[in-house]
Amino acid sequence: AARLTELHDCTMTTLLFASLTPAAFYASAPRGVRTVLGGGRAHSAVPLAVEGGGGEPATAESKKTKAERLAIAAERASLEAERLSLLAEQMKLETALKRGDTLEDAPPLAPPPSPLPPAPSPAASPSDASKASDGAAGEGAPSGGWWPFGGGAGEETPGGGGGGAGQAAQREGGGGDGAQDQEPPSGALEGALRRMGGDGAPLRADQLQLSDSQVAAVRRCVLEPAGAFYVLSVQQSPLGTIFRGNLRAEPSALLEALDERAPHEADLEGVRLLVLSDPVPRTAQQLQAGEEAVPVVLALSPAVRPLRVSGGELGLAALSLGATGLTTLGYALSSFLLANDGQLLEALNAGDTSPVATALPIAAGIGALLVLHEGAHAAAAAARGVRIAPPVPVPSLQLGCFGCVTRVLDFPRSRAALYDVAASGPYVALAASLAVFVVGLSLSAGLPPPPAATDAAAAAAAASGIPTAALVGATPYPVVPSALLHSSLLLGSLADWVLPPLTPDSLAVQLHPAAVVGFTSALCNALQLLPVGRLDGGRIAAAVLGSGAASLTSSLFLLGLGLQSLFGGDDPALLFFGLLIIFFQREPELPCADDLTGVDTPRQAAAAAALAIALLIVAPSPLLG
């Protein structure tokens, strides 16, 4: 607002000089004013003949033409000055609303532009007129510079002019009085940034922000040479230092310029740049006006470092690995509950370890596919330069294992890099699981039918409430309820296609261990592909859709998962998985350094196909009832 008011004074002053001495005006006026008055063309010479100026004497007709032209230019500049004055008032009102002030509490508007200074004498020389113009524009204003309205003391200009205490005040909060005016924080992102201290202690807001010298180095060495971002203002916020302006090129140009200049500039060492949509929440007035978040550059101080893996986290991973091994072995044993006349528990209580040896191949197969999943993550992260923490397995009584929680420790370079890391694990493991499941079904189709349960076992089962049709006699293969296969639409359809038709009274089906391994692993990977929070699917959604749309998608799918677990049938696995997400995986992921550039079409198509397959696996079959 102060720059616009000074612009008004500068324009009106130079107009007065132009109306009296055109030659002096064009010699002294800044280039920007010459462009405005020249109809968009910068004049480096004055093609006018002036009496006493050394040229041909001006005729009456030429004097009349010059007078008309200058009158039109003066009217145009007067209208422009009035527009700028109104714009300054609008900016002050918007600033007051953003601060939460009422109109009565708003800072007073700038006084009307000062009256025109006394006109210099007609005999004034061009140099005198130039001095008068410089004085009207404000002390310290550069004459003839590319930014003609560069401020005096206490003002920051987009061209880097001005300075002093007012420039620091602009970076500290931007108010005319230099007071701190930080925007409200963005909860999830601010919480993540505060945890990124090198020593593990939470960072304060001022530790996230750049110093004055670092701000100047970022502008001088990165933003201005790259030409990708035109800075209009700098704000010190609880999230770091925010550069606001216009994005003019690909965000990758900024990151490449930082990588190139950082080794040669001491002030740039350790500085992090994120190009993303404005993380500061919009006010109610902005939302009502339909304003969208604009691209900004968020600069973080060298105090912000990648997240650390603590000893406690490593200990938790080790404990969780042991617990997951036990739950996976227990799940594998449960697939034999209906085999061998239902005597599994009695055999284990009697100290017989043969059931454990029979179940170990199933547990090992599930673990091998889990290792394949996490290994694909690690390989993609190494190839794309993304730092991730060691995986922490999540035990499950329903499936043996829900997968692993793998934290991203630093900002991925781009959304494509985040996509590759997140998608590699479930894509590879799901494809392998489906292949193992189909092979297991083919092997199951060739198995001899199991013998019927003995009369004593059937009587004991009936007394316990277990349907006798679900029991079989001695067999080395797992026997699972047929309803388990039909708890998944896709997997149940594959089973109906490969296996022989079941009789109406068949409540159980004998499977090869490979079919149990493939079924379990396919269901786990399908759950990981749901676009929710920090799951692999949530990260894929953030890479494909952007953080804003991914957050909305996450909420909708989490709601759908809850409704499915409550009303879609007796499936406790979905219920416990939903609770796991709510308590541990609901928060959004760290933003990418280039959070604006999306992923290419092949990645988008692969994400859509993977989500469709995951939904078909999670959805129950209509034959379940």
Side-chain angles (χ1 to χ4, degrees), residues 325 327-336 353-370 399 436 440 443 476-478 511-521:
T327 57
T328 303
L329 180 60
Y331 172 79
L333 283 170
S334 68
S335 62
F336 293 91
T353 59
S354 58
V356 176
T358 306
L360 273 179
I362 296 178
I366 296 174
L369 289 175
L370 179 61
L399 296 173
V436 170
L443 295 176
Y477 298 103
L511 295 176
H512 190 275
V516 178
V517 171
F519 177 91
T520 306
S521 182

